[in-house]
Amino acid sequence: MALMKARRAATVAGTWLNETVSFFVFCLFDIIDPLLCLVYKVADYLFEAEWKPCYCLSAKEPITTTRGKILLSQNNGESKILTLSPLQELSGRSKIELEDISETLYTRPSLLSDLSNLSVKVTRSDSKCSDHHDKTKNKRKRSITKSSLTVNFTVVEMLRGKIKPQNLSHEVSRWSDCDCGFCTSWASTSDKDHSLFVKTQIPNEITAKEDVLFIHGFISSSAFWTETVFPSLLASSSPYRLFAVDLLGFGKSPKPADSLYTLREHIEMIEKSVLHKHNVKSFHIVAHSLGCILALGLAARHGNLIKSLTLLAPPYYPVPEGEAEPRQYVMKKVAPRKVWPPIALGASMACWYEHISRTICLLICKHHRLWQFIANLLTRNNRTVNFLIEGFMCHTHNAAWHTLHNIICGTGSKLDTYLDIVRDKLKCNVTIFHGGDDELIPIECSYSIKQRIPRARVKVIKKKDHITMVVGRQDEFARELQEIWKTSSC
């Protein structure tokens, strides 16, 4: 009994310490990020001879956008409409709607602001509980039928620079991005369409039975699969044709400076680079982390082609009924602004602070060859460490920032629609794997999908985390995959 009380007291003390330290650390970050904004404004002008817009809040009045029209409310009281859609060509390869752009890109309240708003909400809820509930419900209902965004003049400048019916920008990299041959290999290829980098594995001496698409997670690459599961499947004489893609902006795939890296762009690039290019008629999908969102998006679009869905650590955070800001809700779940565990600190810095995250990319991604050299020395050229570092560091800040917000945070309640389609219109098997020690994505995310899709099967890999649920047990995982595919083909 005394031991239990001591543990409980230690847990409470640890939680309190984490909350306290986190508050002061992130308040400091709230000050540092705007200062870094000024530093990068000057640096961009010196190195690139032009000012680069960012998503920092403007002192001017906000702009409200509805159904593709942007209303500019100026200080003198005059207003004018700037039309950016219904649909406009993006880089000649895809189309984009303003609904694809997450407001978390440009609306990220400071910690003090968040606490202030929370206290106001609590006070109001005590006095006007029922009235507040009705208004919130009506607001939620209106948001479903009519999407709107709130942005500022800087955001409009940024969107106008990216949403344009011009050819793909040939700007390979910014001064703060890596310009090595690996990171810019897509710009030197003869492929004028700039398709994704796709690693294909065909069975030896036998005809391919079926196709399988592998999709990696956030700040990763196709090597997550090709260095682990692919060799195991090849050794077992697996009769499947395997495709592993580097997502847009990651690995050896194109990293266009004029892309917003929306869900639509990512899915259309996969369709063009794999399904159309390789004449894929039906296929299994294996996806990890962020890739699970893209997998569900593909399943919603190609339901009749999907033979099975295997999701690893899906980042699904159910949005409560009546939540007025679903994307903000998801962002706070993904990045809770805590210093412990360290992975939560990293996610929070990457998600909440545009310029701090750019600084991290400048220090790590731009100099990834140095870090890889040091890692190889320390680990004696350990192959696993090498490909993990390569996947983690070979991307641009522009790609990581927009993908994080427009895919993970931006899907919000949209994932509910995808899951409902899989449940009601697809008959394929759905299998979910989750590491029991995963500190990045809580295991509740997988069980929430199970609640949404009752036929889904959840398997918890004990004593494994977000990465080691595959890396280190690839032979066993390959056998599990083949059993899933075999069962789904019956």
Side-chain angles (χ1 to χ4, degrees):
M1 182 65 71
L3 182 61
M4 291 180 62
K5 288 184 178 180
R7 287 180 178 177
R8 191 178 298 115
T11 300
V12 172
T15 302
W16 179 86
L17 181 62
N18 190 21
E19 294 283 349
T20 303
V21 174
S22 298
F23 175 78
F24 287 105
V25 167
F26 284 96
C27 282
L28 180 62
F29 287 164
D30 286 337
I31 298 172
I32 292 175
D33 200 61
L35 297 177
L36 285 175
C37 175
L38 299 177
V39 172
Y40 281 118
K41 288 288 186 185
V42 174
D44 288 342
Y45 187 78
L46 291 176
F47 287 106
E48 300 175 358
E50 63 176 323
W51 300 107
K52 294 288 186 178
C54 62
Y55 289 106
C56 291
L57 294 178
S58 170
K60 297 180 180 180
E61 294 183 20
I63 306 161
T64 302
T65 70
T66 56
R67 293 256 177 221
K69 291 186 177 180
I70 296 181
L71 174 63
L72 285 81
S73 302
Q74 302 183 39
N75 290 335
N76 58 10
E78 297 180 359
S79 300
K80 69 175 182 177
I81 298 292
L82 171 66
T83 303
L84 293 182
S85 51
L87 287 174
Q88 293 206 21
E89 292 285 338
L90 175 66
S91 306
R93 67 178 186 277
S94 166
K95 292 183 178 180
I96 190 169
E97 293 177 318
L98 287 176
E99 285 80 2
D100 294 326
I101 304 168
S102 173
E103 72 270 12
T104 59
L105 280 168
Y106 45 81
T107 305
R108 302 180 306 281
S110 66
L111 190 58
L112 285 175
S113 175
D114 246 5
L115 291 175
S116 176
N117 291 336
L118 179 62
S119 63
V120 170
K121 286 181 180 179
V122 171
T123 303
R124 288 179 178 176
S125 65
D126 290 339
S127 59
K128 301 180 180 180
C129 184
S130 60
D131 183 53
H132 175 71
H133 175 74
D134 293 338
K135 288 182 179 180
T136 304
K137 190 173 182 179
N138 292 333
K139 185 175 182 181
R140 173 68 171 166
K141 192 177 295 183
R142 288 196 301 271
S143 68
I144 295 175
T145 58
K146 185 175 183 180
S147 176
S148 64
L149 303 174
T150 300
V151 295
N152 53 57
F153 283 93
T154 304
V155 175
V156 170
E157 180 186 358
M158 197 161 201
L159 296 182
R160 291 181 70 182
K162 291 179 179 291
I163 305 177
K164 54 188 179 182
Q166 298 177 3
N167 294 327
L168 180 67
S169 171
H170 294 287
E171 181 183 351
V172 175
S173 62
R174 301 184 64 179
W175 69 268
S176 55
D177 296 328
C178 180
D179 58 357
C180 74
F182 181 91
C183 293
T184 60
S185 59
W186 64 275
S188 59
T189 63
S190 58
D191 182 8
K192 294 183 179 180
D193 290 334
H194 292 303
S195 297
L196 299 179
F197 173 81
V198 181
K199 177 68 174 180
T200 306
Q201 181 169 291
I202 302 174
N204 289 332
E205 301 178 354
I206 57 175
T207 304
K209 184 179 179 181
E210 293 174 338
D211 294 326
V212 185
L213 171 63
F214 288 82
I215 308 175
H216 65 77
F218 185 59
I219 53 177
S220 185
S221 73
S222 57
F224 184 79
W225 306 113
T226 61
E227 295 289 337
T228 56
V229 181
F230 275 39
S232 298
L233 290 172
L234 185 63
S236 64
S237 301
S238 171
Y240 299 95
R241 184 170 61 155
L242 312 178
F243 301 97
V245 299
D246 281 350
L247 294 177
L248 185 67
F250 299 88
K252 293 183 179 180
S253 282
K255 304 172 180 66
D258 60 352
S259 174
L260 286 167
Y261 297 89
T262 62
L263 182 67
R264 184 188 305 269
E265 287 180 87
H266 278 289
I267 290 178
E268 288 183 351
M269 286 295 284
I270 293 174
E271 291 172 336
K272 183 182 79 169
S273 305
V274 180
L275 305 188
H276 301 160
K277 192 171 185 178
H278 296 275
N279 195 30
V280 175
K281 299 300 182 182
S282 63
F283 57 103
H284 303 271
I285 300 181
V286 181
H288 177 239
S289 194
L290 169 139
C292 297
I293 299 175
L294 303 180
L296 290 169
L298 281 167
R301 290 168 66 124
H302 303 278
N304 58 325
L305 303 182
I306 308 300
K307 299 184 75 68
S308 73
L309 268 176
T310 304
L311 309 177
L312 286 71
Y316 172 56
Y317 300 89
V319 179
E321 186 68 27
E323 174 61 49
E325 298 177 328
R327 291 165 172 169
Q328 294 284 338
Y329 175 86
V330 173
M331 180 172 69
K332 291 173 183 177
K333 287 290 185 180
V334 172
R337 286 189 287 197
K338 296 288 187 294
V339 296
W340 190 266
I343 201 165
L345 173 62
S348 299
M349 293 172 69
C351 200
W352 285 92
Y353 303 102
E354 180 179 3
H355 305 290
I356 290 177
S357 62
R358 185 179 177 186
T359 303
I360 294 173
C361 282
L362 173 63
L363 296 175
I364 296 179
C365 300
K366 185 177 177 64
H367 304 95
H368 70 90
R369 290 165 294 179
L370 172 61
W371 296 113
Q372 284 179 285
F373 175 75
I374 295 174
N376 286 335
L377 285 179
L378 296 177
T379 63
R380 298 182 180 181
N381 292 318
N382 184 284
R383 175 180 153 198
T384 301
V385 172
N386 187 62
F387 82 75
L388 288 175
I389 290 178
E390 182 180 280
F392 181 74
M393 296 184 178
C394 294
H395 61 269
T396 64
H397 173 255
N398 184 55
W401 176 257
H402 285 93
T403 297
L404 176 59
H405 284 276
N406 285 333
I407 306 298
I408 297 182
C409 301
T411 50
S413 57
K414 190 183 293 185
L415 272 185
D416 293 342
T417 303
Y418 295 159
L419 292 170
D420 290 346
I421 291 174
V422 172
R423 180 193 64 206
D424 300 332
K425 297 184 179 181
L426 276 66
K427 297 181 180 180
C428 66
N429 290 336
V430 180
T431 308
I432 305 170
F433 291 86
H434 211 114
D437 294 338
D438 194 334
E439 293 184 329
L440 180 61
I441 297 177
I443 198 171
E444 288 77 18
C445 290
S446 290
Y447 285 117
S448 294
I449 291 184
K450 168 71 175 176
Q451 291 180 348
R452 200 89 187 186
I453 308 176
R455 74 174 185 274
R457 184 171 64 94
V458 177
K459 182 174 182 179
V460 178
I461 312 300
K462 295 181 179 179
K463 298 182 180 179
K464 300 297 180 182
D465 58 28
H466 197 67
I467 301 298
T468 57
M469 63 187 301
V470 174
V471 179
R473 63 179 298 272
Q474 49 264 31
D475 291 339
E476 181 181 353
F477 183 61
R479 289 192 294 269
E480 292 168 336
L481 286 178
Q482 291 191 83
E483 185 62 30
I484 292 171
W485 300 336
K486 182 180 178 180
T487 305
S488 300
S489 301
C490 295

